[in-house]
Amino acid sequence: TYSRRDERVEIHEDPAEEADATPFQRMTTDRLSTTGNMSFGSSRLEVDLGWERNDRREFESVGAEADGELELGLVAATITGNVHLHHATSARMAGVIGVQGMRTEVTTSGEETLVPESRTTNLAAYAFEQLDLGRVQLSLGARIDRRTPVHEESEPLGLVAGERDWTAFSGNAGVLYRVAGPAALVLNVGRGFRAPSAYELFADGVHEGTIRYEVGNPELETERALNTDLALRLASRELQAEVGVFVN
């Protein structure tokens, strides 16, 4: 699949102050993705590949675009790959194992500087298994990620070239107990993480698209979350319902 989106967004802060001002942004996003499947008996290998390019250009006026005077330019290009094997060990046990990769490159241009040029690489491996024991169903998943953002030197932002890296573990464990008939109790415990983006680490300037001044913090670490939820599910031909509580 391929898609392309073109936008022209007005970013005038106060028309009453300067009624004839015409600042705006042009944003173009291209996305390309492909998926392939190959069967091996009871197993299936799936491959997902993707590419995305987001080009954001900011101009002070219509005349500035005509003259090629770019105020701020940001291009983010991302390549993703995901290879996973769906397998059924037996009639009661099935799951998926896989690896995933991502690389994002940010390049800048124009008179203003909001973030430095950077490259971010993320590599991950994961597995998820389900076991059906009749009235009890168990699930267990685990994932390890290693993310490495590298930024170039930026004199306007006062940054020297540098590199960070994080290794994070995430996963989940769950149990489903069929109480009676259509009723089942479900308990899940999951651990997740999120690494800071280049904007959160290094930004220092006005982001006209969000109308705010952004200041990054290069000392930020990953965010971690622990989620527990308990629910009662009802499922029959006439009715499907669920009520639950969670703590995050």
Side-chain angles (χ1 to χ4, degrees), residues 53-103:
R53 186 179 189 273
N54 179 264
D55 185 358
R56 182 185 296 266
R57 293 165 295 155
E58 182 179 311
F59 300 95
E60 285 296 308
S61 65
V62 175
E65 182 185 24
D67 296 335
E69 298 176 359
L70 181 64
E71 193 71 14
L72 175 67
L74 288 171
V75 177
T78 301
I79 299 175
T80 57
N82 192 11
V83 180
H84 39 271
L85 179 68
H86 302 266
H87 61 276
T89 308
S90 67
R92 292 181 174 272
M93 186 172 182
V96 58
I97 58 174
V99 293
Q100 188 176 58
M102 181 202 73
R103 178 182 172 86

Side-chain angles (χ1 to χ4, degrees), residues 29-44:
T29 303
D30 294 278
R31 291 189 179 95
L32 177 66
S33 64
T34 181
T35 299
N37 289 274
M38 184 178 295
S39 297
F40 299 94
S42 61
S43 300
R44 177 171 58 88

Side-chain angles (χ1 to χ4, degrees), residues 15 34-35 49 55 59 84 94 133 139 152 158 182 189 227 235-236:
T34 181
T35 299
L49 303 175
D55 185 358
F59 300 95
H84 39 271
L133 300 175
S139 62
E152 302 296 336
V189 179
N227 188 85
S236 67

Side-chain angles (χ1 to χ4, degrees), residues 102 120-123 143 145-149 164-168 193-197 222:
M102 181 202 73
T120 301
T121 303
N122 195 101
L123 299 175
R143 175 177 170 127
D145 283 79
R146 181 168 181 83
R147 174 164 293 205
T148 306
R164 300 285 303 276
D165 64 81
W166 298 286
T167 300
F193 95 102
R194 190 183 75 86
S197 67
T222 57

Side-chain angles (χ1 to χ4, degrees), residues 12-232:
H12 207 317
E13 295 181 7
D14 186 2
E17 182 178 327
E18 192 177 353
D20 59 347
T22 57
F24 66 97
Q25 289 184 347
R26 288 200 181 276
M27 293 177 286
T28 303
T29 303
D30 294 278
R31 291 189 179 95
L32 177 66
S33 64
T34 181
T35 299
N37 289 274
M38 184 178 295
S39 297
F40 299 94
S42 61
S43 300
R44 177 171 58 88
L45 182 67
E46 184 176 352
V47 179
D48 302 312
L49 303 175
W51 170 83
E52 178 178 314
R53 186 179 189 273
N54 179 264
D55 185 358
R56 182 185 296 266
R57 293 165 295 155
E58 182 179 311
F59 300 95
E60 285 296 308
S61 65
V62 175
E65 182 185 24
D67 296 335
E69 298 176 359
L70 181 64
E71 193 71 14
L72 175 67
L74 288 171
V75 177
T78 301
I79 299 175
T80 57
N82 192 11
V83 180
H84 39 271
L85 179 68
H86 302 266
H87 61 276
T89 308
S90 67
R92 292 181 174 272
M93 186 172 182
V96 58
I97 58 174
V99 293
Q100 188 176 58
M102 181 202 73
R103 178 182 172 86
T104 299
E105 184 168 357
V106 176
T107 56
T108 63
S109 58
E111 298 180 5
E112 296 183 358
T113 302
L114 178 60
V115 291
E117 296 192 344
S118 63
R119 300 179 304 279
T120 301
T121 303
N122 195 101
L123 299 175
Y126 57 89
F128 178 77
E129 303 292 334
Q130 284 187 316
L131 177 62
D132 193 338
L133 300 175
R135 295 188 67 175
V136 176
Q137 186 178 84
L138 305 176
S139 62
L140 182 66
R143 175 177 170 127
I144 180 172
D145 283 79
R146 181 168 181 83
R147 174 164 293 205
T148 306
V150 179
H151 67 274
E152 302 296 336
E153 179 180 358
S154 175
E155 186 175 338
L157 298 177
L159 290 174
V160 297
E163 177 179 323
R164 300 285 303 276
D165 64 81
W166 298 286
T167 300
F169 296 89
S170 54
N172 71 283
V175 57
L176 180 148
Y177 177 67
R178 296 178 177 89
V179 180
L185 278 173
V186 182
L187 173 66
N188 289 290
V189 179
R191 183 179 190 271
F193 95 102
R194 190 183 75 86
S197 67
Y199 286 89
E200 294 168 321
L201 290 169
F202 308 119
D204 190 356
V206 177
H207 192 314
E208 298 288 359
T210 56
I211 317 180
R212 65 185 183 187
Y213 195 102
E214 297 189 356
V215 179
N217 179 2
E219 302 302 321
L220 288 176
E221 298 294 340
T222 57
E223 298 176 356
R224 294 175 175 84
L226 181 66
N227 188 85
T228 304
D229 63 83
L230 176 67
L232 174 64

